[in-house]
Amino acid sequence: MRKANPSNRKDGRNKGWSQRKTGMFSTGAFFKILPLCSLLAVVAVTGCSNGTSKTESHYTSAYTAEDANPELAAATNRFALDLYAKLEEEPGEADPGPNRMISPAGIGIALSMLKGGAEGETERQMDAMLHLNGMSPEVLADSQMILRDLLRGSDPAVKMDIANSLWSSQGFEMDKDYVEQMEKSYGAQVQAIDFSSEQAADILNKWASDNTAGKIPKVIDPPLSPDLVLLLMNAMYFKGDWSEPFEKGQTEDLPFYPEIGGEVTVPTMRQSGEYAYLDGDGFEAVRLPYGETKNFGMILALPDENSSLDDFKQQQLPKFNEWSQNLSDNEGSIELPRFKLKDKFSLKATLSALGMTDAFDDEKAELGGLVAGGAKPGSIFISFVTHDTFIEVNEEGTEAAAVTVIGAETTSAPAPREPFDLKLNRPFFFAITDRTTGAIVFMGEVGNPAEE
């Protein structure tokens, strides 16, 4: 149970946020819930770009909200909730800290690209994990294309794009139909690269840095595996100012109460006004909008003092799609710590625990759709999935970035053997055995084949 601040207790369930909330967040509660809810609230609150400026030309989408596939949006959020919950069991970090930030939309896009080349049981497992309900690769690709286009043009005051790329080893020929679909629907950059070269990691890291405004400069550590044949990369970058920025003069150092330990002092922003707010069952939630249209927003959820973050995650996070629609305008005030964090995850175990097992199996993986002419099960498999993230929240707004990398390798070929020259021109032994039982059925020797 967190340490309570007597001056900040909630005196009534319907008084809004007019009273100070300092001391009611735990470090884990604030940083773990905030980014996830922010992303889910708009399907993806991150994108990829090289910066933001209200004066630069803004992209206008060719689609309207009615063109978006609601099934994809619902599937994306269900996968996001599943993934976030599974990180409790398989955190993807050697030493998980009290803070966490992921981009489930970015991970979902990268996995959707991979699914376009999956076949058989591998495809079925990915379909189930992503909650796509048998959505065809063509419909999925077109739906992702429309979603990406709508996100880019959602608000002229918010910068958000999504960048995708495919990097194949020299001599590895990808399926032409697959490449065309990735270029058309995902806007993917497709390029051959010598993974064995000393420059390969630098080239890949530069792509990540260029597409996250330098916020994620390194996602690959050399040397790369000699069996690596394909990398799928998704980069997300978001930069948006609050619709109502916090006044820097209102920021002051205030106590913050972690769930474990005493208190810490952090720069805390303060603001009052009218917000979309919910006094929920065991928690309160508020939405802070970005930009001119306010289409993008960050949802902050705070467990009650007599509750805990674990209670919230178990009882209310699975219902996010339901209660996040019930926020309504309410006068109140908010205190929000400034923060900046980075994170890195290895998601192989997490995704496997969610049911995507065969893709990582070097005998069962069915990814023939990636390869020209197809490929036998196990000849190409996924060796790793990494996810790097960044977020900074201050008085002006929020900057967030994420890069997902999926690595595909070919099964290592056995080392070539020297040709042999066996001449059975001397007495020799023979045996006929049963592989099923291991039994020797016949055995003998030949001393003179000329005699019967």
Side-chain angles (χ1 to χ4, degrees), residues 76 141 151 165 189 234 237 328 362 394:
T76 298
L151 290 173
S165 61
Q189 168 191 342
N234 166 270
Y237 175 83
S328 59
D362 61 3
N394 56 31

Side-chain angles (χ1 to χ4, degrees), residues 422 424-433 440-448:
L422 177 61
L424 295 170
N425 55 7
R426 299 180 301 281
F428 59 90
F429 172 83
F430 70 89
I432 299 176
T433 65
I440 300 175
V441 182
F442 301 96
M443 61 189 301
E445 59 185 271
V446 174
N448 182 357

Side-chain angles (χ1 to χ4, degrees), residues 201-272:
D202 292 339
I203 293 171
L204 297 168
N205 287 329
K206 184 178 186 301
W207 185 91
S209 181
D210 287 348
N211 287 284
T212 59
K215 298 304 177 184
I216 302 181
K218 186 176 182 180
V219 295
I220 296 290
D221 291 316
L224 300 175
S225 168
D227 297 322
L228 192 65
V229 293
L230 184 65
L231 281 182
L232 295 85
M233 299 181 69
N234 166 270
M236 310 282 284
Y237 175 83
F238 170 86
K239 185 171 175 61
D241 292 343
W242 302 119
S243 300
E244 296 293 337
F246 289 81
E247 294 184 13
K248 291 187 177 180
Q250 294 293 317
T251 299
E252 66 174 302
D253 291 338
L254 294 175
F256 186 91
Y257 301 89
E259 289 190 349
I260 300 177
E263 66 178 60
V264 295
T265 301
V266 295
T268 304
M269 306 178 293
R270 184 181 296 155
Q271 189 182 89
S272 297

Side-chain angles (χ1 to χ4, degrees), residues 110 204 207-208 219-220 230-234 344 382 384-388 403-407:
L204 297 168
W207 185 91
V219 295
I220 296 290
L230 184 65
L231 281 182
L232 295 85
M233 299 181 69
N234 166 270
K344 185 178 184 67
I382 302 305
F384 66 87
V385 178
T386 61
H387 187 61
D388 291 77
V403 176
T404 305
V405 182
I406 300 176

Side-chain angles (χ1 to χ4, degrees), residues 6-80:
S7 66
N8 298 326
R9 295 187 181 277
K10 181 160 57 174
D11 295 327
R13 298 295 291 171
N14 299 307
K15 293 184 179 180
W17 276 30
S18 60
Q19 299 179 17
R20 294 178 62 180
K21 299 298 178 183
T22 305
M24 295 178 66
F25 271 111
S26 72
T27 304
F30 179 79
F31 287 121
K32 287 188 178 182
I33 294 175
L34 182 153
L36 174 67
C37 294
S38 169
L39 292 165
L40 290 175
V42 293
V43 180
V45 172
T46 52
C48 135
S49 166
N50 292 322
T52 183
S53 171
K54 291 184 179 181
T55 61
E56 66 186 36
S57 177
H58 181 71
Y59 179 80
T60 301
S61 176
Y63 303 95
T64 65
E66 288 72 23
D67 296 316
N69 185 346
E71 294 182 5
L72 176 61
T76 298
N77 282 2
R78 290 185 64 189
F79 167 69

